[in-house]
Amino acid sequence: MINGAHVILYSRDADADRAFVRDVLGFPGVDAGGGWLVFRLPPAEVAVHPVDGEPTHELYLMCDDIDAQVEEFAGKGVEIVRGVSDRGWGRLAAVRLPSGGELAFYEPRHPVAHGL
């Protein structure tokens, strides 16, 4: 029986991005050995979208109030690299990770499965 999911973020500066996940996002975690941190995620869901080209995978964090979340990130000195945009299915934005990568987050306007 499947009992969870494990998401991997590849990073050019894993230590800095781990600190971001721990300190900025506030996700609790465990040391899996040798400083290899694994973090607990909030409730999650998975969706399968059709694609014509080569398949890829994406990670989006979800929030209840994207304007408040943007304000919280800005207050912590986090760079907002994509301001809030309305996509119909939700309002989307992204922040810069310390390694230079982006992490997207959105306020869904569609029914969510993570509360089932």
Side-chain angles (χ1 to χ4, degrees), residues 4-103:
H6 186 89
V7 176
I8 299 172
L9 301 179
Y10 291 97
S11 173
R12 290 197 165 104
D13 189 346
D15 288 337
D17 286 347
R18 288 175 185 143
F20 180 90
V21 172
R22 181 191 61 225
D23 302 336
V24 176
L25 298 180
F27 293 176
V30 297
D31 187 326
W36 196 272
L37 303 179
V38 179
F39 298 95
R40 186 182 75 199
L41 289 174
E45 57 189 32
V46 63
V48 180
H49 292 239
V51 65
D52 291 329
E54 197 62 31
T56 61
H57 306 297
E58 297 178 352
L59 169 69
Y60 294 90
L61 299 179
M62 299 165 76
C63 61
D64 294 326
D65 181 340
I66 198 163
D67 296 314
Q69 189 61 64
V70 166
E71 190 173 309
E72 180 182 328
F73 282 144
K76 292 179 176 182
V78 177
E79 179 187 358
I80 309 298
V81 293
R82 284 190 276 152
V84 178
S85 64
D86 190 327
R87 301 293 179 98
W89 46 262
R91 298 177 65 217
L92 176 71
V95 296
R96 175 85 56 215
L97 292 172
S99 65
E102 289 186 16
L103 181 60

